[in-house]
Amino acid sequence: MLDESRLAIHQVTLRDQWSFRESIEGFARHGVHTTAVWREKLHEIGAHEAAQILRDHNMTVAGLCPGGLVTSSSGFTAALDDNRRMIEEAATIGAKCVVFISGGLGDGSKDLTAARARTLEAVAALIPEARSVGVMLGIEPLHPMMCANRAVFCTLKQANDWCDELDADDAVGIVLDTYSVWWDPTVAEEIARAGKRICSFHVNDWLEETKDLRLDRGMPGDGVIDIPSIRAMVENAGYSGPCEVEIFSAGNWWRRDPDEVIEIIKERFQTFV
Ligand code: ZN
């Protein structure tokens, strides 16, 4: 059975119910002491106050997200600067990594190759900043259904290829999310290939009749993903860190009583993660 101390809950899972402070207090009240920080919530109060709240509740921060979003050709420099600020914020709140997603095609462009090249260029450009403050850049491929509007970076193989190319395993890791990789026929071999590069593990389920490309993720157990088998692959690859429940769910989980959501997560974590 999965040790409950490995449970992490991402703030975004209660996005519409709780403020930054309420979510940290809520997790602590339920005995959950690892979270991931949603940057919009961080900006409600600023990194210094957030850091104090996290310390007061003995909360470990697995990641700060979402970073990246660097594919716009016209906004590339501004996006890099924003990511530099984000790396500073991550260091201030003690986050282990900045979760880096690429961004979609943008600008009315059809040039997927160029958008991917800009993403890799951005990761490379941010390595010195990340290294200087000891925050990992956790590159997260998203499900390819979001290629147009959210992430041209969408497979684990691409993540591994980029890590090979960057040759900076001390500063660049891979964030693996069950929602994004479960369908991939190469998932087992690419997780094994990623090995110690895996710096964060996100869990949630794919609803068979999903209603939204981005905001209809399922609670573990409600969908079709064999989460325990993916977790076993990740652990065999050398990962032993938190399993972070990250659920974007505008129509369901964001509308429920937040304490009830956490109780359900804790139950499901034992059986379906
Ligand atoms: Zn994720």
Side-chain angles (χ1 to χ4, degrees):
M1 190 181 272
L2 187 52
D3 187 333
E4 206 176 284
S5 68
R6 289 186 60 201
L7 170 63
I9 303 180
H10 194 310
Q11 275 189 323
V12 85
T13 302
L14 290 313
R15 192 195 77 169
D16 290 359
Q17 297 101 317
W18 275 345
S19 67
F20 186 97
R21 176 183 285 279
E22 286 168 336
S23 69
I24 302 309
E25 289 174 352
F27 298 150
R29 193 166 63 239
H30 287 272
V32 176
H33 284 279
T34 309
T35 190
V37 168
W38 188 241
R39 199 176 181 210
E40 250 173 51
K41 290 206 180 289
L42 183 73
H43 288 177
E44 290 168 4
I45 53 173
H48 290 282
E49 189 178 338
Q52 188 61 49
I53 294 169
L54 292 160
R55 274 195 300 273
D56 288 348
H57 294 83
N58 188 26
M59 197 66 62
T60 299
V61 184
L64 173 61
C65 54
L69 301 168
V70 292
T71 44
S72 155
S73 55
S74 54
F76 186 68
T77 309
L80 274 185
D81 287 343
D82 192 47
N83 277 278
R84 292 190 176 102
R85 283 191 290 277
M86 188 169 175
I87 290 166
E88 290 298 326
E89 290 165 358
T92 302
I93 63 169
K96 295 195 167 39
C97 73
V98 162
V99 176
F100 187 102
I101 64 172
S102 61
L105 268 172
D107 307 332
S109 165
K110 296 184 179 180
D111 195 343
L112 205 44
T113 306
R116 287 182 174 141
R118 272 194 296 279
T119 307
L120 180 56
E121 187 187 337
V123 177
L126 294 169
I127 288 172
E129 277 90 355
R131 208 174 250 155
S132 73
V133 293
V135 170
M136 294 290 284
L137 295 168
I139 58 173
E140 180 176 13
L142 296 191
H143 192 283
M145 72 173 170
M146 283 180 282
C147 188
N149 61 358
R150 195 74 179 158
V152 295
F153 169 58
C154 46
T155 68
L156 203 47
K157 178 183 183 303
Q158 199 171 28
N160 275 314
D161 289 348
W162 284 3
C163 284
D164 285 349
E165 194 172 331
L166 291 164
D167 192 22
D169 285 354
D170 64 313
V172 181
I174 296 173
V175 175
L176 193 122
D177 191 319
T178 53
Y179 200 73
S180 301
V181 305
W182 70 277
W183 59 274
D184 186 342
T186 70
V187 67
E189 70 188 77
E190 292 297 334
I191 287 175
R193 181 180 162 208
K196 293 276 194 189
R197 284 171 178 164
I198 297 169
C199 64
S200 188
F201 179 47
H202 299 174
V203 297
N204 48 67
D205 216 337
W206 183 280
L207 301 175
E208 195 175 344
E209 301 293 339
T210 189
K211 295 183 179 69
D212 189 280
L213 296 187
R214 185 165 166 248
L215 303 180
D216 190 32
R217 294 190 182 199
M219 180 68 68
D222 286 348
V224 300
I225 306 179
D226 185 352
I227 300 172
S229 88
I230 297 178
R231 178 168 65 84
M233 293 174 201
V234 168
E235 287 169 0
N236 287 335
Y239 180 84
S240 57
C243 303
E244 180 185 314
V245 176
E246 178 193 45
I247 301 176
F248 297 79
S249 173
N252 184 6
W253 299 103
W254 288 352
R255 296 179 175 209
R256 301 244 197 148
D257 173 72
D259 289 292
E260 180 201 341
V261 175
I262 295 183
E263 284 306 325
I264 294 171
I265 289 172
K266 287 169 74 175
E267 259 170 57
R268 299 292 182 88
F269 194 71
Q270 299 296 337
T271 322
F272 293 103
V273 175

